[in-house]
Amino acid sequence: MREYSPDLTPQWKRPRAVPEVAAEPDLVVEVAGTDFCGAVVGCEAGTVTLEDRFGKRRVFPMEPAAFLLDGAVVTLVRPARGPTAPSRTASGSIAVPGARARVARAGRIYVEGRHDAELVERVWGDDLRIEGVVVEYLEGIDDLPAVVAEFGPAPDARLGILVDHLVPGSKESRIAASVTSPHVLIAGHPYVDVWQAVKPSALGIGAWPVVPRGQDWKTGVCRALGWPENTGAAWQHILSRVTSYKDLEPTLLGRVEELIDFVTAP
């Protein structure tokens, strides 16, 4: 009979077992030895696909001790069940369950009015809280140069500004051109009002009405669509029909994403 020989190696000298973690959809991990961090969006035999916050996807082998979870080394293994589609935020980004809001950055995003701010919050709110970006509204941009000067943009305090009706020859384009700080990005959409950035199909209408010059645009829209001429109630109805980025025009989507990337850049 073979004699039992106990392991006399001190506990602190014994190699620690690396825990195995199932590569479930939405699990956020870092790749050891790199600066890549992303959420699990796919898992095949021996490999895992990760997607970072910018939508970039990369495939990595699931080697032992090849990943970090909350700073601890782990080995990813294939889940017992097949992967399911990861959950998404209203903006289309990978949702991070249980993520805490980041402390607010010094940088800001300014929008023209309350309706703009509410629409941005509805679609990008989750992303903005994770990134620590605060959105404020200005009630118009007539005093934009003074507003920018008061803010005092700097390399570590960038300012992004979303402007309505930013088209060549408009009053808005002339005001925007007067701001020249390299730490400010002004991005705009062509619509008279942010209402028009909501796709007509989301509201069950064929198109936004054409309102004759000289009329209040929002009141004219309500009148043309047969809605009560209560623009506040009309906006709440419009906002209620927006459930994700798919309900917004691509022109607005691109501009808001640009501003978020600008104010969060290292």
Side-chain angles (χ1 to χ4, degrees):
M1 180 180 292
R2 185 176 179 180
E3 184 177 351
Y4 170 71
S5 178
D7 184 355
L8 300 179
T9 304
Q11 186 69 32
W12 61 273
K13 283 190 175 182
R14 297 179 187 178
R16 295 183 180 180
V18 176
E20 293 185 346
V21 177
E24 299 284 359
D26 296 348
L27 179 73
V28 177
V29 295
E30 298 176 59
V31 181
T34 76
D35 59 359
F36 192 89
C37 178
V40 174
V41 294
C43 185
E44 304 294 336
T47 65
V48 62
T49 303
L50 303 179
E51 180 178 297
D52 68 13
R53 65 171 298 270
F54 300 106
K56 181 179 180 180
R57 295 189 177 191
R58 290 180 60 182
V59 178
F60 298 94
M62 291 195 295
E63 298 175 341
F67 302 90
L68 302 177
L69 177 62
D70 295 330
V73 177
V74 298
T75 297
L76 290 186
V77 296
R78 192 172 186 180
R81 65 181 188 280
T84 58
S87 59
R88 300 273 175 171
T89 66
S91 71
S93 300
I94 294 287
V96 183
R100 295 184 177 182
R102 176 175 175 165
V103 175
R105 295 173 181 266
R108 290 288 187 273
I109 291 178
Y110 286 168
V111 298
E112 284 205 44
R114 181 169 59 86
H115 293 180
D116 306 69
E118 290 175 345
L119 187 61
V120 169
E121 164 61 27
R122 190 170 190 88
V123 176
W124 289 273
D126 290 338
D127 307 69
L128 293 169
R129 277 181 284 279
I130 289 176
E131 293 294 342
V133 178
V134 175
V135 175
E136 301 178 9
Y137 67 90
L138 301 173
E139 297 183 340
I141 63 165
D142 288 351
D143 298 323
L144 189 59
V147 169
V148 171
E150 182 179 357
F151 177 82
D156 59 347
R158 296 184 175 192
L159 180 60
I161 305 170
L162 180 67
V163 176
D164 298 342
H165 199 227
L166 191 62
V167 296
S170 67
K171 177 191 75 172
E172 291 81 2
S173 66
R174 291 191 294 273
I175 294 173
S178 66
V179 177
T180 58
S181 170
H183 310 305
V184 177
L185 174 64
I186 298 177
H189 57 74
Y191 310 114
V192 174
D193 189 274
V194 77
W195 287 21
Q196 286 182 300
V198 178
K199 291 181 178 179
S201 58
L203 300 170
I205 60 177
W208 285 100
V210 176
V211 178
R213 293 178 65 88
Q215 288 189 26
D216 177 74
W217 188 85
K218 292 176 181 176
T219 302
V221 166
C222 292
R223 188 176 298 134
L225 294 176
W227 295 350
E229 294 182 19
N230 180 331
T231 58
W235 169 243
Q236 291 307 312
H237 168 68
I238 294 167
L239 188 62
S240 71
R241 304 301 294 270
V242 176
T243 59
S244 78
Y245 72 98
K246 297 178 182 179
D247 297 315
L248 301 182
E249 298 289 356
T251 305
L252 178 68
L253 296 174
R255 303 297 80 74
V256 175
E257 294 287 350
E258 284 180 30
L259 294 174
I260 294 174
D261 288 345
F262 180 76
V263 300
T264 58

